[in-house]
């Protein structure tokens, strides 16, 4: 995932948490909100309940790898935050991709094609 797609600032995270809507699965929750920018921004949150720093970083790497091929198909001007649950470390990558696709579909965040 290119760094330009990253949600970096604390202010952006706070805004998304405050005004965003959420949908979840047993692997992660997704919080999304409209943003002023014309691009998609994605952030990841993994708590210490998931594990030590090695496990948390692995979870973020796997989530980042799942979302990267989907970025061009997402609705522009949206902030997304994925909040990982402990189960994200134990499932196969294909299942994780399927869950992410389902969560994005339920949120209605796919770009409308004409």
């Amino acid at each position: 995932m290119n760094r330009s797609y990253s949600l970096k600032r604390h202010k952006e995270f706070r805004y998304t948490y405050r005004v965003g809507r959420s949908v979840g699965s047993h692997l992660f929750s997704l919080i999304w909100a409209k943003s002023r920018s014309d691009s998609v921004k994605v952030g990841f949150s993994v708590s210490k309940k998931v594990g030590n720093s090695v496990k948390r970083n692995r979870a973020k790497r796997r989530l980042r790898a799942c979302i990267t091929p989907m970025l061009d198909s997402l609705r522009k001007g949206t902030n997304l935050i994925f909040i990982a649950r402990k189960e994200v470390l134990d499932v196969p990558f294909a299942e994780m991709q399927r869950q992410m696709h389902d969560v994005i579909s339920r949120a209605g965040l796919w770009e409308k094609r004409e």
Side-chain angles (χ1 to χ4, degrees):
M1 184 171 88
N2 192 344
R3 194 156 162 79
S4 64
Y5 291 109
S6 293
L7 202 60
K8 298 179 203 82
R9 297 180 173 271
H10 182 66
K11 182 168 67 171
E12 294 171 322
F13 273 90
R14 263 195 346 244
Y15 170 78
T16 305
Y17 278 122
R18 188 169 36 84
V19 302
R21 300 178 62 197
S22 68
V23 65
S25 74
H26 72 281
L27 298 179
F28 43 77
S29 296
L30 168 65
I31 299 176
W32 79 94
K34 287 184 103 170
S35 68
R36 292 183 201 162
S37 72
D38 58 346
S39 66
V40 177
K41 300 276 188 165
V42 183
F44 303 98
S45 176
V46 184
S47 92
K48 288 186 177 182
K49 291 178 185 177
V50 173
N52 61 15
S53 62
V54 175
K55 291 179 181 177
R56 292 194 308 267
N57 286 326
R58 182 170 185 256
K60 285 187 269 190
R61 280 194 311 271
R62 292 184 80 201
L63 287 169
R64 203 174 295 121
C66 278
I67 193 69
T68 299
M70 301 177 195
L71 286 173
D72 293 333
S73 303
L74 293 174
R75 188 184 319 149
K76 306 298 181 229
T78 309
N79 289 348
L80 308 171
I81 299 176
F82 287 94
I83 304 169
R85 296 196 171 111
K86 198 173 219 169
E87 294 80 14
V88 81
L89 296 171
D90 301 328
V91 298
F93 190 73
E95 171 64 16
M96 201 160 129
Q97 283 181 313
R98 191 185 66 73
Q99 288 281 325
M100 188 171 283
H101 191 276
D102 290 347
V103 167
I104 292 170
S105 295
R106 282 192 285 146
L109 295 175
W110 295 115
E111 185 71 46
K112 304 254 190 284
R113 301 285 178 175
E114 294 178 18

